[in-house]
Amino acid sequence: MKPRDRLRIAMQKSGRLTEPALDLLTRCGLTFRQSRDKLFCFGEGEPVDLLLVRDDDIPGLIAQGVCDLGIVGRNVLSEFQLTGGREAEPLAELRPLGFGRCRLSIAVPQELDYREPRQLQGRRIATSYPGLLGEWLRAQGVDAGVVTLAGSVEIAPKLGTADAICDLVQSGGTLVANQLREADVLLQSEAVLAGPLALPADERGDLLELLLKRLDGVIQVRESRLLLLQTSRHSLEAVTRLLPGGPQPTLLPVAGQPDQLMLQALCAGEVSWRQLEEIKKAGAREMFVLPVEKMLA
Ligand code: PRP
Ligand code: ZN
């Protein structure tokens, strides 16, 4: 491979990961001029270009050195690690990216009373993930037939070509539409940044390091929430105990109400309705959860 001075990132051309991946890269300060065939996007802000491809091709492109990085589902990356060409360079999951969450699951016909993996003994399971399924079956000590299909896995039981399936589940809509139900989870997946185990020794290594730092900043801010609420001094302790982790909250006086305090806390993750309701029960009111746009400590 001749040395390159621009970094090249492979990502899904069109699909569930495309929009959030582009959004993430934009937040990292990368801008692109899209070429007419939309396969290659030239990076304008930084020397980082995009290659838009089928998600299943991404790990191979990195392993062959055609691309330096890829944004791809952990499911696709892990499957490649298990079944990709033996000569291929091993790849690393450099960062989980927090979007495109789904799981690789076993699903069975709704009427089947599934309780444990052993019931799959001697059955045929259709999947596009023979590597991951095979590994799981071995770990469970189950001997089942693996029917590898490129797509439309969910109709295999109805067609009689399989007794169960092993496929991605996100909302569960596809399973319901095909009278299947989720029986066991093999892998929790999300979009990840995939790359080589070692940084390239040329300028791309420095670029990659810079990009990882920006990415970490973007991810940290994206997952931070600012929680604002009012509480009486009397309830303060109970309220504080329920606050989702993070640095110490800031307390401010409320004009004209000496017994009341305004509390401001930075939370490390999502604040759910359930958590808010609990905090309210402990005595908080006037609660706001705000996204954090930029942070400079
Ligand atoms: C996946 C999977 C299911 C569907 C599940 O395919 O193969 O068909 O999504 O999602 P749901 O639980 O929300 O219904 P996807 O559309 O991601 O395309 P793929 O063939 O590239 O995996
Ligand atoms: Zn795909």
Side-chain angles (χ1 to χ4, degrees):
M1 270 278 135
K2 82 175 181 334
R4 268 189 279 122
D5 52 0
R6 298 179 68 87
L7 205 61
R8 198 179 288 158
I9 308 179
M11 56 169 263
Q12 196 182 29
K13 186 179 163 79
S14 61
R16 295 188 207 212
L17 303 186
T18 309
E19 279 310 311
L22 270 176
D23 181 63
L24 184 68
L25 294 177
T26 307
R27 283 169 199 267
C28 288
L30 307 183
T31 51
F32 303 96
R33 180 158 24 97
Q34 201 145 26
S35 75
R36 204 158 301 167
D37 62 359
K38 292 188 170 181
L39 178 69
F40 186 81
C41 298
F42 183 81
E44 295 183 311
E46 306 285 348
V48 180
D49 306 320
L50 285 186
L51 204 61
L52 301 181
V53 295
R54 240 168 46 95
D55 59 349
D56 310 69
D57 295 337
I58 293 175
L61 288 169
I62 306 170
Q64 292 157 26
V66 176
C67 292
D68 305 296
L69 296 169
I71 296 179
V72 67
R74 177 179 295 134
N75 49 298
V76 174
L77 179 62
S78 308
E79 180 67 20
F80 179 82
Q81 312 272 52
L82 291 171
T83 56
R86 285 281 155 262
E87 331 68 89
E89 293 285 316
L91 302 180
E93 179 179 318
L94 299 176
R95 294 289 186 281
L97 298 176
F99 61 87
R101 289 210 168 87
C102 60
R103 47 207 186 269
L104 183 67
S105 295
I106 298 284
V108 298
Q110 262 158 19
E111 63 279 5
L112 192 92
D113 174 30
Y114 180 95
R115 277 160 283 112
E116 49 174 9
R118 262 202 312 184
Q119 288 169 270
L120 298 169
Q121 180 72 30
R123 307 260 185 167
R124 296 158 307 160
I125 310 171
T127 191
S128 309
Y129 299 87
L132 288 165
L133 174 59
E135 187 186 51
W136 183 79
L137 287 170
R138 271 191 299 283
Q140 304 293 329
V142 171
D143 193 12
V146 174
V147 181
T148 305
L149 300 176
S152 306
V153 169
E154 62 274 6
I155 59 170
K158 211 169 283 170
L159 295 179
T161 49
D163 307 298
I165 67 167
C166 168
D167 200 11
L168 293 182
V169 181
Q170 192 182 46
S171 65
T174 303
L175 294 187
V176 170
N178 290 280
Q179 285 98 46
L180 298 169
R181 71 186 171 81
E182 199 171 355
D184 239 314
V185 178
L186 279 62
L187 175 80
Q188 293 288 346
S189 187
E190 66 186 277
V192 303
L193 183 72
L197 282 177
L199 294 189
D202 50 27
E203 277 138 275
R204 290 173 298 158
D206 302 337
L207 264 173
L208 203 152
E209 226 169 320
L210 175 95
L211 186 64
L212 285 178
K213 284 207 187 99
R214 287 192 190 177
L215 206 57
D216 289 339
V218 169
I219 291 171
Q220 197 190 351
V221 160
R222 188 187 57 196
E223 286 173 1
S224 299
R225 300 284 183 278
L226 189 66
L227 175 64
L228 299 176
L229 58 83
Q230 268 194 43
T231 175
S232 65
R233 289 179 188 275
H234 171 75
S235 309
L236 180 61
E237 210 197 302
V239 166
T240 312
R241 216 178 304 129
L242 292 172
L243 295 179
Q248 282 297 304
T250 309
L251 299 171
L252 305 163
V254 176
Q257 297 181 66
D259 178 48
Q260 291 290 310
L261 286 169
M262 164 100 184
L263 182 153
Q264 174 184 309
L266 192 65
C267 307
E270 190 77 56
V271 184
S272 69
W273 282 108
R274 186 85 21 110
Q275 283 172 309
L276 280 184
E277 285 151 5
E278 288 297 312
I279 299 170
K280 184 154 192 244
K281 256 190 236 152
R285 50 194 195 86
E286 303 287 331
M287 308 176 68
F288 294 91
V289 180
L290 309 177
V292 175
E293 192 170 291
K294 288 198 178 67
M295 209 158 67
L296 196 60

